[in-house]
Amino acid sequence: MSGRFDGKVAVVTGSGRAGGLGEGIARRLAAEGATVVISDIGAPADAATPGSMTGSSAEMDAIAASLPKASTFPCDVRNPEQVRALARHAVDTHGSLDIWVNNAGIGYIMKPMMEVSADEWRAVIDVNLTGAWYGLQAAAEIMIAQGKGGRVVNIASQAAKSGFMHAQAYTASKHGLVGLVRSASIELGAHGITVNNVCPNHVTTGLGKWQNEHFAEVQGISVEKYLANMAARIPMGRPGMPEDTAAAVAFLCSDEAIYITGESMNVSGGEEPH
Ligand SMILES: NC(=O)c1ccc[n+]([C@@H]2O[C@H](COP(=O)([O-])OP(=O)(O)OC[C@H]3O[C@@H](n4cnc5c(N)ncnc54)[C@H](O)[C@@H]3O)[C@@H](O)[C@H]2O)c1
């Protein structure tokens, strides 16, 4: 397994937060030889917006410094110019762009649907869906010009397959990624570029932690009880871990996955069956 990504350059958006899925994905790609660009919004967490989950520059730098071959590049995925600059940074600094992972996401706006404002709806769609589209377009532009194929993976969610209360915008944004890869894969196949989603169920770190706390409160039970109930309904008997998602991303980015594109792969311990 070692060396599957030797000579490859990977960008992982939203990977500047310690303990998040992005960090796990970056570490897995790096462990198999990839040079990785650690990217995040680069602003300190906003105390006024609980769960906003913004990664600080210090965290980004620390993650990159712990990897064998890595650099950092702050990027707000809502800004298409910054996303294009991130893609160019990979080529200008490391000589290539082979793997692009749209991992950046927000999930802290969780409310009954009648309480969700238009601005809140747009905030979620802008990051989770439009941000992934900007990333896909920026990566594909360079990968097509390079002429050696490529891999784009979005971190979608179980919420790309099933509905969840208090999360209409989140669920709609993740369902949108299913349509995005289905249509983009048709245009990118001729260039040897695959585009897929990985759909994790609840992971207890990152924004999943916030969501678990919210649903436990809604149900009037402790987080421990909520997690125990979750484990009981998952065939594999436990919630997901960043490593589970990272392993699936690595597979989809590998040479073995050349004939897999337009797919939305569940990584849910059997919880999400379709
Ligand atoms: N944790 C889970 O249970 C779970 C389950 C399924 C899917 N996901 C998805 O996995 C991805 C990673 O989430 P996580 O759980 O690791 O949470 P996280 O909050 O640790 O990671 C999300 C990252 O995205 C960054 N980000 C937010 N807005 C951004 C923006 N505008 N531009 C650039 N970066 C931005 C944050 O700073 C953070 O580092 C998300 O897309 C999320 O929807 C998470």
Side-chain angles (χ1 to χ4, degrees):
M1 192 168 73
S2 167
R4 273 200 296 189
F5 304 122
D6 284 347
K8 306 275 190 201
V9 179
V11 170
V12 184
T13 68
S15 58
R17 185 179 173 81
L21 292 180
E23 184 198 14
I25 293 161
R27 290 200 180 285
R28 176 64 188 253
L29 297 176
E32 297 197 50
T35 299
V36 183
V37 180
I38 301 294
S39 181
D40 214 300
I41 194 166
D46 177 4
T49 313
S52 64
M53 304 284 193
T54 48
S56 73
S57 298
E59 274 180 291
M60 283 170 59
D61 291 345
I63 292 168
S66 70
L67 301 178
K69 290 169 287 179
S71 63
T72 58
F73 195 90
C75 170
D76 182 338
V77 300
R78 294 169 297 185
N79 182 322
E81 294 308 321
Q82 290 185 21
V83 176
R84 272 199 291 275
L86 171 60
R88 281 256 51 98
H89 163 85
V91 178
D92 294 346
T93 307
H94 304 295
S96 186
L97 176 60
D98 307 290
I99 294 167
W100 184 284
V101 182
N102 284 311
N103 169 77
I106 59 172
Y108 63 88
I109 298 171
M110 305 197 68
K111 310 176 165 181
M113 67 178 286
M114 300 313 290
E115 296 176 15
V116 176
S117 70
D119 283 348
E120 288 172 326
W121 170 273
R122 272 192 293 269
V124 176
I125 301 293
D126 282 356
V127 178
N128 295 4
L129 181 57
T130 311
W133 153 245
Y134 291 150
L136 169 64
Q137 195 180 44
E141 182 179 24
I142 288 176
M143 290 171 180
I144 290 168
Q146 289 179 157
K148 54 179 181 163
R151 297 283 188 271
V152 179
V153 179
N154 305 317
I155 308 307
S157 170
Q158 183 177 20
K161 304 287 185 72
S162 292
F164 290 89
M165 69 186 301
H166 296 185
Q168 283 85 26
Y170 187 81
T171 304
S173 71
K174 297 298 187 178
H175 274 68
L177 293 174
V178 175
L180 180 61
V181 302
R182 284 182 178 158
S183 55
S185 61
I186 298 168
E187 292 187 46
L188 295 175
H191 301 283
I193 300 167
T194 68
V195 50
N196 293 289
N197 294 323
V198 170
C199 303
N201 64 339
H202 283 283
V203 179
T204 54
T205 59
L207 60 79
K209 183 170 181 294
W210 173 260
Q211 293 174 341
N212 294 338
E213 286 165 2
H214 174 81
F215 285 128
E217 192 181 330
V218 167
Q219 293 178 20
I221 58 177
S222 67
V223 175
E224 292 71 26
K225 176 68 177 154
Y226 180 78
L227 290 174
N229 292 346
M230 183 191 293
R233 72 169 179 263
I234 297 171
M236 295 308 289
R238 63 166 175 82
M241 299 188 298
E243 292 78 8
D244 299 316
T245 296
V249 171
F251 169 65
L252 289 171
C253 291
S254 72
D255 289 346
E256 293 99 304
I258 183 60
Y259 204 56
I260 301 172
T261 191
E263 297 282 357
S264 297
M265 178 198 275
N266 298 323
V267 179
S268 72
E271 186 183 15
E272 187 63 52
H274 65 90

